[in-house]
Amino acid sequence: MTDQHSKTKTNGAGGPAMREVRDSVVVRFAGDSGDGMQLAGTQFTMENALAGSDLATFPDYPAEIRAPAGTTYGVSSFQIHFGAVDVKTAGDELDVLVALNPAALKVNLRDLRIGGTVVADSGSFTARNLAKAEYEGSPLEDDTLAPYQVIQLDIGQLTRNAVEHLGLSSRDALRSRNMWALGLLLWMFDRDKQATVDWLRAKFKGVESAADAAVATLSAGHAFGETVEMPTKIPGYTVSRAELKPGLYRTVSGSDALAWGLVSGLKSSGISRMVFASYPITPASPLLHLLARMKELGVVTFQAEDEIAAACAAIGASYAGSLGVTSSSGPGIALKTEAIGLAVATELPLVIVNSQRGGPSTGLPTKTEQGDLFQAVYGRNSDAPVAVIAPATPADCFHVAREAVRLATRYMTPVFILTDAYLASAAEPWLIPDLTTLDDYPVEMRRDPDGFQPYTRDGSTLARPWAVPGTPGLEHRIGGIERDSATGNISYDPDNHHEMTRLRAQKIAGIAADIPEQSVELGPEEGPLAVVGWGSTYGSLFKAVERSRAKGMDVSHIHLRHLSPFPRNLGDLLGRFERVLVPELNAGQLLAMLRSTYLIPAEGLNRVAGRPFRISDIEATIVRLLETERTA
Amino acid sequence: MSHSVLPQLKPKDFASDQEVRWCPGCGDYAILKAIQKTLSELEVPRENSVFISGIGCSSRFPYYMATYGFHTIHGRAPAVATGTKLANPDLDVWVITGDGDGLSIGGNHLVHALRRNIDLNIILFNNEIYGLTKGQVSPTSKRGTLSPTTPRGSVANPISPATMALGVGARFVARSVDINQAHLVEVLKQAHANAGTSFVEIFQNCIVFNDATFADFTDKAVAKENQLLVEDGKPLLFGAERDRGLRLDPATWTLEVVRPGENGVRSEDVLVHDETNRTVATMLAGLEPPEFPMALGVLYRDPAATFDQQVLAQVEPESEGRGLADLLYGGRTWKVGD
């Protein structure tokens, strides 16, 4: 059976007894957007996590829900980097590429390292599919794949064989190709499949025939690696456990962590209700979906009629004493801009989550970018300062969300969270925090009518009182027209406007005293070169600096969480480095802010390709800068 | 309530200490007075009332009330008010808007507030013109309106606010006139009593930019003849002598003006107002002088579950259930180390 449907060009690395040991491996599952690649990848992630690997994932999918089958623009993929080492990125290059059709091979082959392994479903390399992928001849037959190890199997036929006894239609059977491939990959890396079996049983509860088919296919793929005879030998690898801090772990995506962090922040603030008002937009919608299922935790979600209404409803909720949160991606944030200005003027708490994507305009809806930093910091009419913070990793989203709630309620201000398409869907293992050890930051609403004025300010934070409708004796009016600096009544007085503009700026600037000083992630606190980043580029930057340092280069990594205001020591810290390199997935926005704020000749490394940085690109720049330094 | 030991608030107790800055003679003054009178007569506590407005002459309204007030941004008051109501459904939330604010820039929010039936009182001051920006045509301006942006006369058809509200599923639609003080107060009380979105259109005269635009049914000389004050269960009769009425022409399914006792028309031929009849309400909303009277009062009322009640009903019951820790530990977990 197997000989009929498979052939291989690899010399076979041996069975379980001869598994090759690897520190870490990068695998990418790729197929049509309807082939279930995200599902296969997610389950592969789970099994690796349970086996004790550290890991990072990178789901990548087209903007179209079901792009025409077999086309290059309809390819969906899921990348996972797992290993015994400290894994911080999804990996620069692939060790294994699973390609379920020619288009998936065409799009993804460029990322496979020389000598890497391709697992190709030869049954899908038909003339029609080859034409759709714009291959002139079959890459399985010519020398396209010469630099790689190739395992070509008719996965479609093998899947059909696996479910033959269940009497499924050929079409239904083929839906499980992803499970067959997953089973094979689990065998290759010596991983269990039980968690996936359990998951499939739970998912298809009540539809036992579907569960049976999926489990049978998964098992067949797994067994294939074990039992297949030469010359089809499948290489097997061992990736040992990572040295993770002891404790209870789970995998977490940025969206999960953000949702939980917002709820945790709500608890810490003591506010009874969060009103999360949003409008569907890629890649921000998962946050709305997740929170819609957390109603018993004090969360009211509201799918508004548009982005503007979402921001306004969140503001209206904060006005009435709830925690108002709104979420979107760049184009939607643009629509919310005027409302955010209202929250600045009326000094109400508001958390704004921006899951950044490629732009401008509709741009690249499913691809990652850091293009909205200027929009968050500066993007309103007039002088309208707000706080801006950014998570570095999926798990960090939890803490950043908590920090956003703290700042918004303590300073009565809008706070931006700048996450992105990568963080939203990427996952990593997470040491589940002990919720009882988190610092609370209880909010005090104004209750006492004695001496109440809506715009008198707290001496240390400069925040105005949060005086909520329903409170007797505090009836007052607020609005977008400039307000008297004490009474809040309409004031067109020139000096009052100047003073209020100054106070709004000073209030936000004062947050710098209430956040940690900027630390150095890696390397010394002075030297010839600092690599300074923010947001989701954390892993790539850290690894690039780590590798460079391992090669003897004197370079440090600084990663900013707080982007407005900057940490109070940032200027001093950057001043201690001869050169400052600012890699960003935009055309140089933090770069411009650092240059204008601290008058330092920082240099940019900018890439806007809709994808995370490659570690190697940053490393190469570090080398170039340090060598220029030496020769200069 | 005259025996109440609580001091009853007078209309002036609902007035803030801010100087009212509308033009002398503006219809807004009469509306302000009517709303203050309404709240006083309803005996609501000041702290429980919230007035939320957008931008425009009418939207300055909250500054003049001694309640809570929020002057927001252009067109967005229904959206802000929706958040306020979801945060605290016990508040009495009033939205103050105008024809430009509510039907042009904020049309979308008005439509969705109405179809959701969230418990708000939306009061739309319709003066058929942009006042605060100095006299441009609005979405309710009559065709041919001369304005700085339409120097040769406007060519777009106006929106009928009440017709639109009925079309998008509003459960309470009423109309009144700024200077009909007693009628207006009664309509506002009805709006307040209704749970759900209560939409009230008030014909309001802009003395500076669009004076007398409603004169054909508000002028003292013609008001009685050209206003049809609808009341649930009462025949749709109008005129100083109440000698004219509305009858449904079965051949065309349209309303026609008839005189009972003339030409064989019997008094029972005149339609009786049924405020739960959306079809007739929609016909009434579309009537205009001079051929027809202007229908005023509660054109339509058919209460249904409110959005806020239904949303919050999904939140409350499980509150004692899962905690955040259950979510965090609830997925697939594994232990590292001992």
Side-chain angles (χ1 to χ4, degrees):
Chain A
M1 169 192 96
T2 47
D3 285 346
Q4 247 176 295
H5 304 298
S6 59
K7 81 182 195 184
T8 181
K9 287 180 182 171
T10 177
N11 53 5
M18 307 161 63
R19 285 181 179 276
E20 197 180 306
V21 177
R22 292 284 179 84
D23 277 346
S24 78
V25 178
V26 180
V27 172
R28 186 183 292 172
F29 292 89
D32 253 335
S33 47
D35 280 345
M37 294 296 89
Q38 303 304 320
L39 201 151
T42 306
Q43 287 306 309
F44 190 67
T45 302
M46 177 56 69
E47 298 289 1
N48 277 295
L50 293 174
S53 289
D54 194 5
L55 57 87
T57 70
F58 178 36
D60 192 18
Y61 52 93
E64 295 76 15
I65 301 301
R66 289 277 192 279
T71 58
T72 50
Y73 51 88
V75 171
S76 170
S77 70
F78 187 103
Q79 182 172 328
I80 167 174
H81 182 194
F82 60 100
V85 294
D86 176 26
V87 171
K88 282 213 174 345
T89 73
D92 280 9
E93 292 185 307
L94 309 176
D95 296 302
V96 179
L97 169 64
V98 178
L100 288 193
N101 69 8
L105 182 70
K106 179 116 185 192
V107 173
N108 292 292
L109 191 61
R110 76 181 81 152
D111 296 327
L112 186 64
R113 71 171 165 79
I114 301 299
T117 303
V118 182
V119 178
D121 178 5
S122 58
S124 71
F125 282 64
T126 59
R128 192 177 146 77
N129 280 343
L130 288 165
K132 279 190 199 164
E134 295 174 12
Y135 274 122
E136 286 182 7
S138 174
L140 302 181
E141 309 296 337
D142 60 24
D143 60 0
T144 306
L145 300 179
Y148 313 103
Q149 301 193 65
V150 181
I151 302 170
Q152 45 172 299
L153 305 163
D154 187 345
I155 295 176
Q157 186 58 46
L158 289 161
T159 300
R160 278 193 289 265
N161 293 347
V163 295
E164 211 170 11
H165 62 289
L166 296 171
L168 293 181
S169 70
S170 172
R171 207 187 136 135
D172 282 346
L174 282 180
R175 291 212 176 110
S176 296
R177 280 195 309 154
N178 61 336
M179 287 296 115
W180 200 96
L182 172 61
L184 181 70
L185 268 286
L186 288 172
W187 181 86
M188 279 175 73
F189 295 99
D190 200 16
R191 293 311 188 214
D192 199 1
K193 59 179 166 46
Q194 193 54 45
T196 303
V197 171
D198 295 345
W199 182 83
L200 288 167
R201 291 280 175 213
K203 181 179 163 71
F204 293 114
K205 200 172 166 88
V207 200
E208 301 313 324
S209 60
D212 290 345
V215 171
T217 318
L218 175 77
S219 303
H222 199 268
F224 183 87
E226 182 78 36
T227 55
V228 71
E229 300 292 322
M230 290 288 281
T232 315
K233 271 275 189 257
I234 308 294
Y237 302 93
T238 295
V239 180
S240 51
R241 303 177 77 89
E243 298 272 326
L244 295 172
K245 229 171 114 183
L248 192 66
Y249 282 77
R250 62 170 300 147
T251 58
V252 69
S253 72
S255 297
D256 293 328
L258 253 179
W260 296 334
L262 288 171
V263 172
S264 171
L266 179 74
K267 303 286 170 222
S268 289
S269 72
I271 299 169
S272 60
R273 183 172 293 164
M274 178 200 313
V275 175
F276 184 93
S278 186
Y279 182 80
I281 183 171
T282 303
S285 302
L287 192 55
L288 173 58
H289 302 169
L290 287 165
L291 285 161
R293 295 178 167 277
M294 296 186 194
K295 295 202 189 323
E296 68 278 23
L297 298 173
V299 181
V300 174
T301 52
F302 174 54
Q303 180 183 327
E305 58 270 24
D306 62 27
E307 296 282 2
I308 298 170
C312 287
I315 291 168
S318 282
Y319 170 61
S322 285
L323 174 66
V325 183
T326 190
S327 161
S328 189
S329 189
I333 299 292
L335 287 164
K336 297 181 197 292
T337 299
E338 188 195 9
I340 295 166
L342 176 69
V344 170
T346 52
E347 304 191 40
L348 286 167
L350 176 68
V351 175
I352 309 143
V353 183
N354 180 352
S355 299
Q356 298 168 97
R357 67 189 215 185
S361 189
T362 303
L364 304 171
T366 59
K367 309 297 180 192
T368 203
E369 197 165 290
Q370 296 183 302
D372 300 344
L373 179 59
F374 280 172
Q375 184 191 40
V377 177
Y378 305 119
R380 286 161 296 287
N381 58 304
S382 189
D383 296 297
V386 298
V388 181
I389 56 179
T393 68
D396 191 37
C397 288
F398 181 82
H399 301 286
V400 162
R402 283 180 48 82
E403 174 73 347
V405 176
R406 183 183 79 90
L407 294 177
T409 53
R410 186 165 156 79
Y411 291 89
M412 298 289 285
T413 179
V415 178
F416 264 99
I417 297 174
L418 287 180
T419 178
D420 58 36
Y422 171 71
L423 284 180
S425 53
E428 65 179 351
W430 187 37
L431 178 60
I432 304 172
D434 179 355
L435 295 177
T436 61
T437 62
L438 300 173
D439 290 334
D440 284 341
Y441 34 81
V443 168
E444 275 187 44
M445 305 279 178
R446 175 78 185 210
R447 304 258 172 237
D448 183 7
D450 197 27
F452 168 72
Q453 300 236 61
Y455 275 83
T456 50
R457 290 170 193 280
D458 179 272
S460 69
T461 62
L462 294 183
R464 75 176 191 92
W466 199 353
V468 170
T471 316
L474 301 188
E475 297 85 2
H476 66 282
R477 277 62 57 194
I478 57 170
I481 298 183
E482 185 63 280
R483 298 137 309 276
D484 177 86
S485 63
T487 64
N489 290 328
I490 290 181
S491 170
Y492 296 106
D493 181 77
D495 292 336
N496 178 73
H497 179 53
H498 186 80
E499 175 65 1
M500 285 293 273
T501 303
R502 188 191 67 78
L503 282 167
R504 286 187 285 265
Q506 197 188 332
K507 180 175 81 166
I508 299 303
I511 291 174
D514 191 20
I515 58 175
E517 289 201 343
Q518 183 62 46
S519 58
V520 177
E521 289 293 319
L522 194 60
E525 295 192 351
E526 59 185 358
L529 179 63
V531 176
V532 181
W534 65 280
S536 72
T537 55
Y538 173 80
S540 316
L541 269 51
F542 186 92
K543 279 288 166 189
V545 170
E546 186 182 57
R547 287 183 193 174
S548 304
R549 293 189 56 77
K551 289 175 188 161
M553 278 173 268
D554 189 1
V555 52
S556 299
H557 175 207
I558 294 168
H559 212 75
L560 304 185
R561 167 183 284 186
H562 289 271
L563 298 154
S564 170
F566 285 135
R568 55 193 177 277
N569 65 328
L570 184 62
D572 286 346
L573 180 62
L574 297 183
R576 295 203 290 270
F577 291 89
E578 288 163 42
R579 295 179 87 158
V580 172
L581 174 68
V582 187
E584 291 178 271
L585 301 174
N586 62 36
Q589 300 188 11
L590 177 64
L591 175 71
M593 286 171 63
L594 293 177
R595 289 172 69 115
S596 64
T597 307
Y598 301 118
L599 304 178
I600 53 170
E603 296 156 83
L605 170 59
N606 303 94
R607 172 102 176 129
V608 274
R611 303 178 64 84
F613 272 119
R614 283 164 178 270
I615 299 167
S616 54
D617 290 343
I618 298 164
E619 220 184 322
T621 309
I622 291 171
V623 170
R624 181 171 59 74
L625 289 185
L626 286 176
E627 278 175 357
T628 323
E629 192 73 19
R630 221 167 291 154
T631 53
Chain B
M1 296 299 283
S2 54
H3 300 292
S4 169
V5 290
L6 290 171
Q8 189 178 324
L9 296 173
K10 299 188 175 62
K12 70 172 171 48
D13 295 322
F14 286 92
S16 75
D17 60 356
Q18 297 296 292
E19 187 189 352
V20 183
R21 299 188 196 180
W22 287 311
C23 307
C26 176
D28 290 356
Y29 285 95
I31 301 173
L32 178 63
K33 203 176 134 203
I35 290 183
Q36 289 167 347
K37 188 162 189 286
T38 302
L39 294 189
S40 150
E41 291 181 8
L42 288 170
E43 298 186 24
V44 293
R46 264 191 311 222
E47 68 270 17
N48 214 42
S49 295
V50 186
F51 283 83
I52 299 179
S53 65
I55 294 292
C57 291
S58 59
S59 287
R60 296 294 180 94
F61 190 95
Y63 290 115
Y64 309 136
M65 295 293 293
T67 61
Y68 282 92
F70 195 175
H71 179 225
T72 71
I73 47 178
H74 207 7
R76 320 301 173 196
V80 174
T82 296
T84 298
K85 196 71 188 175
L86 289 177
N88 184 358
D90 297 333
L91 295 171
D92 250 353
V93 183
W94 300 75
V95 170
I96 305 294
T97 184
D99 42 308
D101 187 66
L103 296 167
S104 197
I105 194 166
N108 194 29
H109 309 303
L110 182 58
V111 164
H112 289 276
L114 292 169
R115 63 116 181 158
R116 289 186 189 113
N117 197 36
I118 186 159
D119 189 15
L120 306 172
N121 305 311
I122 301 183
I123 315 299
L124 187 143
F125 298 15
N126 182 7
N127 59 13
E128 298 189 352
I129 206 77
Y130 280 79
L132 203 54
T133 51
K134 300 200 162 97
Q136 301 85 354
V137 283
S138 92
T140 55
S141 297
K142 293 178 178 70
R143 279 180 73 101
T145 297
L146 296 170
S147 86
T149 53
T150 53
R152 295 185 181 188
S154 64
V155 296
N157 289 321
I159 290 175
S160 158
T163 309
M164 187 208 77
L166 287 161
V168 300
R171 314 292 308 194
F172 180 104
V173 177
R175 283 203 299 221
S176 191
V177 178
D178 52 6
I179 53 174
N180 291 16
Q181 198 67 193
H183 185 263
L184 178 54
V185 169
E186 185 51 33
V187 162
L188 291 169
K189 283 184 184 171
Q190 299 294 321
H192 180 266
N194 177 62
T197 312
S198 307
F199 180 73
V200 180
E201 176 189 8
I202 303 176
F203 296 107
Q204 173 250 321
N205 191 48
C206 173
I207 195 166
V208 174
F209 295 109
N210 208 18
D211 193 24
T213 189
F214 303 119
D216 53 358
F217 65 94
T218 59
D219 258 10
K220 269 203 176 130
V222 297
K224 285 235 161 84
E225 290 306 315
N226 289 343
Q227 292 184 5
L228 167 61
L229 305 179
V230 306
E231 271 186 86
D232 192 38
K234 303 270 177 68
L236 294 169
L237 291 168
F238 63 99
E241 307 296 325
R242 292 178 66 78
D243 56 346
R244 284 174 292 154
L246 295 178
R247 180 174 76 173
L248 187 68
D249 178 347
T252 61
W253 282 59
T254 54
L255 297 177
E256 57 180 352
V257 175
V258 293
R259 286 181 188 271
E262 290 181 18
N263 301 319
V265 176
R266 299 165 305 166
S267 56
E268 58 264 39
D269 291 339
V270 174
L271 273 177
V272 171
H273 185 48
D274 170 6
E275 61 183 18
T276 65
N277 186 329
R278 186 181 290 271
T279 307
V280 175
T282 307
M283 290 178 175
L284 290 171
L287 303 181
E288 281 177 28
E291 193 189 344
F292 290 99
M294 184 59 78
L296 303 171
V298 179
L299 304 184
Y300 180 74
R301 166 168 40 199
D302 189 9
T306 69
F307 182 75
D308 38 313
Q309 281 166 358
Q310 294 176 88
V311 167
L312 297 173
Q314 292 183 343
V315 175
E316 307 296 354
E318 299 169 84
S319 303
E320 301 300 310
R322 287 185 309 170
L324 179 61
D326 296 317
L327 272 184
L328 264 54
Y329 295 98
R332 193 83 198 202
T333 59
W334 67 94
K335 207 157 188 188
V336 171
D338 314 316

